Amino acid sequence: MIPFWINWNTNLCRYGLFIVVLSSFVLAVSSNTALLVVDVQNCFLPGGSLAVTDADEIIPVINNIRRKHTDLFTLTVFTQDWHCADHVSFASQHTGHSPFDVVILQYDENGNLCNETSSSTPCTVEKSINQTLWPDHCVINTTGAQFSDNIHRKPTDIVVKKGYHCEIDSYSGFYDNGGFTKTELEAVLQSHEIETVVIVGLALDYCVYFTALDARRVGYNVYVVVDASRPVSPADKQTVVTDMDNRGIHVVNSTELRFLVSSSTSFNICFYYCIVCFILVYIASSIVLI
Ligand code: VGL
Ligand code: ZN
């Protein structure tokens, strides 16, 4: 029995099979992954109107992830909370209420707000949403809505704005809170054939959490990097981490990233496929050369 590699280049068929094996291995290693940087904007950083405690500490962590894993990410998407000055989530728009109060907002089937309807036609409530009221934040074209100057950005990065419909909030980078409208995020990820998303940013218990939930629901392999995120409410951190875990979202540390992303499901499938191909090539060549 002559091992196939002795004269493999004299046999076109085996050469072809070897190329298939090699290219599928390359495909496995380069299974497309996107980095989603959620709402790293001045309004959520120290000094901002909705400052998240220690939020500035995540910026070097995110910059490091980008520097250390440049080859890992096919693309990086920044989401940007982008609200009208009179956005429905602002406590200032609800007389008698303060920031962090919760109100019920009711919407019709098209996502129109019923609460303050001025039209004579009755509004049929399709969905009631508990809305936490926030201080005014991330208002369109203000300094608060700008990305932090300290976060590294590249000209090829993509920005996805959310929360610009004045009557409904949008925590997730994919859908508004009622699921009525979607952003372009899913289309962007699809056009780059992304299978895995790694999520960092603010805030862990709101926009990061809801972005991760939607990403998982839509079918992505999802990683949330906890040390590259901070919660609005530290008391809720464990609850959201446990919930993400239960839903198959990988909650990881930035130090575990390389190992964990490369051992994702699609990598494993391709890897085992490569091994099976190698074995088949070996058996086929052995039979031919007996
Ligand atoms: C966020 C509250 C309100 C967030 C945005 O980015 O987590 N939280 N708007
Ligand atoms: Zn907001």
Side-chain angles (χ1 to χ4, degrees), residues 38-41 44 50 52 79 81 83 89 131-132 134-135 137-138 162 169-171 202-209 230 232:
V38 175
D39 300 1
V40 183
Q41 297 165 257
F44 299 118
L50 180 42
V52 173
T79 67
D81 214 30
H83 294 314
S89 74
Q131 174 69 55
T132 301
W134 305 105
H137 66 280
C138 297
K162 63 181 182 65
D169 211 352
S170 188
Y171 295 146
L202 300 166
L204 183 64
D205 45 349
Y206 285 94
C207 292
V208 166
Y209 172 63
R230 290 289 184 280
V232 167

